[in-house]
Amino acid sequence: LGSVHKNSKGKKRTKIMTRGNQREIDRQRAANRAARAGVKKKDDGLTPQQRNERDAKAMAEKKAKKAAKATEPTSGGSGPKPAPKKNDKKSEDLSSLLSEGLKSGAKSK
């Protein structure tokens, strides 16, 4: 694994490589964690073609359900409310002023 060195007291000491196999050690640790946590690859026993057919069928059902819901008549209170008109009072005031002005202008002639 590593080289053998003698320390100041003359005892042999093995120097271990600290970074050389770090990638392999990390892979092993990750595999152990995954096994312990019970993480499994997604496998439903279907081929890709079978999976696509299943998904297409589910989407068709979903679209049909949505289309049926769209054609259903809505009840009175559940529909979206119309947006309130902005400056409704100002436009009424302006209209009344203009009509008053026109009336008074006609009298002054």
Side-chain angles (χ1 to χ4, degrees), residues 10-108:
K11 294 184 178 180
K12 289 185 178 179
R13 189 175 67 162
T14 304
K15 186 173 185 180
I16 299 174
M17 291 177 61
T18 58
R19 304 271 310 195
N21 61 353
Q22 185 173 357
R23 181 177 295 153
E24 289 82 15
I25 291 171
D26 285 344
R27 284 183 184 152
Q28 184 63 39
R29 288 180 63 211
N32 290 341
R33 279 194 303 265
R36 191 177 25 203
V39 176
K40 296 180 183 177
K41 289 186 178 180
K42 185 177 180 182
D43 186 22
D44 51 7
L46 299 175
T47 65
Q49 184 179 8
Q50 291 171 332
R51 193 173 298 115
N52 289 341
E53 289 172 359
R54 178 195 64 191
D55 293 346
K57 184 179 177 183
M59 287 302 293
E61 290 174 0
K62 187 176 178 181
K63 285 182 182 180
K65 187 176 178 181
K66 189 173 183 177
K69 189 174 180 179
T71 58
E72 266 183 18
T74 59
S75 61
S78 66
K81 296 180 181 178
K85 294 181 181 179
K86 294 182 180 179
N87 300 330
D88 197 23
K89 188 174 181 179
K90 286 183 180 179
S91 63
E92 288 177 12
D93 291 341
L94 184 61
S95 296
S96 63
L97 286 174
L98 287 174
S99 63
E100 298 255 342
L102 290 175
K103 289 178 186 176
S104 65
K107 292 179 183 179
S108 64

